[in-house]
Amino acid sequence: MKKVILLLMLTFLMVGCSSKNNDYTLMITRNNETYALYDQDGEKLTDYLYKTYEEIDKCGYIVTNDKDQKGLISYKGKELVPFGEYETMEIVDQMIYATKKVEIKKDTKKNDKKQESEKKEGVNQDFIHENLYVLNSEGKVLYEASQDVGIMRSGLPIIWNKNEYTILYKDGEEFQKTKEVIQYAYQSENSMFIVEGKENQTVFYDFSQTKDEPKEIIINEKGKFEIMCVDTFFNKNAVLYDSQLKELIYIDREELKYTTLDMDIKDVYYDLSQNIILKDKQSTYIYQPGGKAIKMNSYYQSSQIYVVHASAVYGPHIVYKDGKKMAELENCQVFSSGHLVLSDIFPVYTRNTGFQYYNFDGKLVNKNVYLDAEPFDSNLRAIVKINDQGYTLINQDGTDLLKKTYSHIQYIGNAYYAVYNKDNRYGVVDLDGNVVFPDEYTDLPQTSIFTFDNKEYALLGKNGRSYLYDLDDENKEIFSVEGHLTFHEKGYFVDGNKYYTIDGKIME
């Protein structure tokens, strides 16, 4: 059952360039200098007016004109903030920080008194009291910095007014109003998760189960913790990190508990098996919640199942399973850097023999020997070179799934593989080795298999022409056009300065 859940999760994660929302608009250019707004049906919504643009998720665009003045337009192209009204505009959640081009004459005595007053009241000195505005996605001013109103440009805007702190989120909604001192507020996943820093503690809020009443986890740690990653698939945990204190906080979102780890790291993320991966400048670690970070220098499935690469190239390499030493692999080579494997078996180069597959019991799986062999992918398939003639695709039993060998095989997404013949033409096969498209294609786009609006497509190239196929409708050809198309995740295609809708309509 665990494997089934993992495969479903991997399918969800590896669809690539997928979307369910077909209500997008998009900016396109004809001369690489100015942009115009179009809808997904290819209808032009504005003229070519914009020199640059930055999208506010589900709201609109911050744009600049030929005079480098900034403005704001809606998703439909309606002007919300005229060009030049603000000098700077910066997106924060679905809001905007804005400043005006003004000559500010500072009253030093008033400033000194204000800062002294704030220090006595315990107010963070990062609050700005002049020339800073918080706008909503329609350009309306929510707050303006003044002598009486301070604005902190945190991950979320924090407003100080009359000894009260207000945290804003989403499109200007009040997340919290309190007299307690707020040091910072960060968010991720469109404010689905928020971390708030108070004077003596940190608070993590989880909105993933309900929009109105979040789960609240009190963390008795001071610092400036940012949300590094959150497990949204299994709804179980999250990781915070303070780069100055070099302290990591692991949060169990189900049990409402947390543990800490002191470690200098450069990156934190979840891999495809939902392991928490920590990286410093050179090494890869798996963090075991409540425990320690275990260095990974070869194959691994989890913090309990992995291979330790020996200092000597040919071993002995130590195999661990369920946290216990299972075997030593001698006279063989394994990967010498941390590498996630999605199968219970992995490739080993045996000296004077070739590539073979072993399991995490340290045992040889079968007697098959290959000239080259890759780890198994999310489909539990592996690409192997069986002889001088070329490559094939195998399952975990070692069964050859293809009826002939190919000069090259490449995984291209979902359940599909590109297979190349000796003339360097390619076709497409599925995970069972069935031919989906014959080996007559010449150009493989970077994104060739993708899902958009719940439909699966294949984009292939042949002799300078691009072809789009509907994989859900017996591989029916939707359209073809001269050129080399590139798919964009918003649901359109690009070839230089030519643009096409998902149905093949050219955008005029």
Side-chain angles (χ1 to χ4, degrees):
M1 183 65 182
K2 183 179 179 181
K3 285 186 181 178
V4 172
I5 293 174
L6 175 61
L7 285 172
L8 287 173
M9 179 189 75
L10 290 171
T11 300
F12 175 79
L13 291 173
M14 297 188 71
V15 161
C17 298
S18 65
S19 173
K20 293 181 180 179
N21 187 343
N22 59 2
D23 191 27
Y24 284 123
T25 55
L26 47 126
M27 288 283 190
I28 68 174
T29 181
R30 301 295 183 189
N31 55 12
N32 297 320
E33 293 181 1
T34 56
Y35 294 83
L37 187 68
Y38 284 72
D39 66 20
Q40 271 191 309
D41 294 325
E43 298 300 322
K44 188 177 178 184
L45 301 177
T46 71
D47 290 330
Y48 285 85
L49 302 171
Y50 312 118
K51 189 175 177 181
T52 67
Y53 67 91
E54 187 177 6
E55 186 173 0
I56 304 173
D57 186 43
K58 300 177 182 178
C59 298
Y61 300 85
I62 294 176
V63 291
T64 61
N65 62 13
D66 57 356
K67 297 178 182 179
D68 291 327
Q69 296 173 315
K70 292 189 177 295
L72 178 68
I73 62 173
S74 73
Y75 256 150
K76 301 300 183 182
K78 178 183 177 182
E79 183 181 80
L80 301 175
V81 174
F83 287 113
E85 183 170 338
Y86 297 99
E87 182 181 24
T88 68
M89 300 177 77
E90 177 189 344
I91 296 170
V92 51
D93 209 344
Q94 294 178 345
M95 297 168 284
I96 298 169
Y97 290 127
T99 63
K100 292 186 176 182
K101 189 173 184 178
V102 294
E103 185 178 341
I104 302 171
K105 296 180 180 180
K106 294 186 176 180
D107 188 325
T108 306
K109 291 184 178 180
K110 282 187 177 180
N111 256 351
D112 290 345
K113 286 182 179 179
K114 188 69 179 173
Q115 289 182 2
E116 188 63 35
S117 172
E118 288 181 354
K119 284 181 182 178
K120 289 180 181 178
E121 294 164 357
V123 178
N124 190 311
Q125 295 302 294
D126 290 331
F127 282 96
I128 296 170
H129 288 277
E130 54 191 355
N131 194 25
L132 181 60
Y133 303 81
V134 179
L135 317 180
N136 67 10
S137 63
E138 295 182 347
K140 177 183 176 182
V141 176
L142 301 175
Y143 286 92
E144 177 183 352
S146 66
Q147 288 298 312
D148 297 318
V149 178
I151 302 175
M152 186 194 298
R153 297 177 70 150
S154 183
L156 290 171
I158 302 175
I159 312 300
W160 181 82
N161 185 20
K162 298 179 180 178
N163 296 325
E164 258 191 339
Y165 296 81
T166 302
I167 301 175
L168 305 179
Y169 75 137
K170 296 182 179 178
D171 195 12
E173 298 174 38
E174 288 189 0
F175 167 65
Q176 188 179 108
K177 181 174 283 190
T178 179
K179 291 190 178 295
E180 292 185 80
V181 175
I182 305 297
Q183 306 284 358
Y184 64 88
Y186 295 117
Q187 57 92 23
S188 71
E189 302 291 336
N190 297 320
S191 292
M192 187 180 292
F193 309 98
I194 294 175
V195 60
E196 169 193 73
K198 297 186 178 181
E199 279 190 294
N200 298 306
Q201 63 185 17
T202 301
V203 186
F204 180 83
Y205 300 92
D206 181 355
F207 285 90
S208 63
Q209 300 300 314
T210 172
K211 295 181 180 179
D212 302 318
E213 294 296 331
K215 286 185 178 180
E216 183 176 321
I217 302 172
I218 305 297
I219 301 167
N220 294 315
E221 299 286 335
K222 292 175 61 177
K224 201 165 187 177
F225 294 96
E226 295 191 48
I227 302 171
M228 300 298 290
C229 51
V230 180
D231 167 18
T232 55
F233 191 86
F234 289 115
N235 296 316
K236 291 181 68 175
N237 47 51
V239 179
L240 314 181
Y241 188 67
D242 185 318
S243 58
Q244 291 187 332
L245 296 177
K246 297 176 174 49
E247 182 178 1
L248 178 147
I249 296 177
Y250 166 82
I251 299 174
D252 186 323
R253 292 162 49 214
E254 285 187 328
E255 299 295 328
L256 306 183
K257 296 179 180 178
Y258 71 93
T259 55
T260 63
L261 175 71
D262 294 326
M263 187 174 177
D264 187 2
I265 54 180
K266 302 301 178 186
D267 195 14
V268 183
Y269 61 90
Y270 290 97
D271 65 19
L272 290 175
S273 293
Q274 294 300 94
N275 296 306
I276 299 173
I277 303 300
L278 313 179
K279 284 199 170 185
D280 59 18
K281 290 182 179 179
Q282 297 178 329
S283 302
T284 299
Y285 302 82
I286 288 185
Y287 173 59
Q288 191 172 7
K292 57 183 180 179
I294 303 174
K295 186 175 181 179
M296 296 291 147
N297 65 359
S298 188
Y299 302 118
Y300 69 87
Q301 273 193 352
S302 68
S303 61
Q304 298 292 303
I305 305 174
Y306 56 95
V307 175
V308 175
H309 190 285
S311 56
V313 174
Y314 283 96
H317 312 292
I318 302 174
V319 182
Y320 286 86
K321 185 176 181 181
D322 298 328
K324 299 177 182 178
K325 179 178 176 180
M326 298 299 294
E328 294 184 357
L329 303 179
E330 299 185 87
N331 296 313
C332 65
Q333 294 182 29
V334 296
F335 275 25
S336 58
S337 59
H339 185 91
L340 172 68
V341 290
L342 303 173
S343 169
D344 292 328
I345 62 180
F346 51 87
V348 165
Y349 176 74
T350 305
R351 185 169 5 202
N352 301 323
T353 302
F355 285 88
Q356 297 177 285
Y357 284 92
Y358 278 74
N359 61 26
F360 283 100
D361 290 317
K363 296 179 180 179
L364 183 67
V365 174
N366 55 50
K367 295 182 179 180
N368 295 349
V369 178
Y370 306 101
L371 296 181
D372 195 7
E374 296 183 5
F376 284 85
D377 59 27
S378 59
N379 296 316
L380 299 182
R381 301 293 186 263
I383 299 168
V384 297
K385 187 173 185 179
I386 58 175
N387 52 42
D388 291 334
Q389 299 302 309
Y391 294 82
T392 190
L393 192 68
I394 64 170
N395 61 18
Q396 291 188 105
D397 296 329
T399 302
D400 185 343
L401 300 172
L402 305 181
K403 295 180 180 179
K404 60 179 182 179
T405 58
Y406 293 88
S407 61
H408 175 56
I409 299 177
Q410 178 183 350
Y411 175 62
I412 56 175
N414 294 3
Y416 300 98
Y417 301 80
V419 290
Y420 290 79
N421 62 27
K422 293 179 180 179
D423 297 326
N424 205 34
R425 290 179 177 271
Y426 73 89
V428 177
V429 300
D430 64 18
L431 59 84
D432 294 318
N434 301 310
V435 175
V436 181
F437 297 100
D439 52 350
E440 59 185 29
Y441 296 89
T442 56
D443 310 302
L444 183 68
Q446 184 174 1
T447 302
S448 53
I449 304 292
F450 61 91
T451 301
F452 182 78
D453 200 18
N454 293 320
K455 292 184 68 175
E456 192 173 39
Y457 299 90
L459 178 64
L460 309 178
K462 180 168 57 176
N463 301 327
R465 193 173 186 86
S466 295
Y467 297 80
L468 183 68
Y469 299 97
D470 186 341
L471 293 174
D472 294 332
D473 187 11
E474 299 180 343
N475 308 328
K476 177 182 177 181
E477 180 183 319
I478 299 173
F479 74 92
S480 69
V481 65
E482 291 290 336
H484 302 280
L485 296 185
T486 299
F487 176 70
H488 190 280
E489 62 182 4
K490 280 196 169 187
Y492 65 95
F493 302 95
V494 184
D495 178 21
N497 285 336
K498 293 181 180 178
Y499 299 82
Y500 301 84
T501 68
I502 197 75
D503 298 321
K505 175 186 173 183
I506 190 165
M507 299 185 191
E508 301 293 346

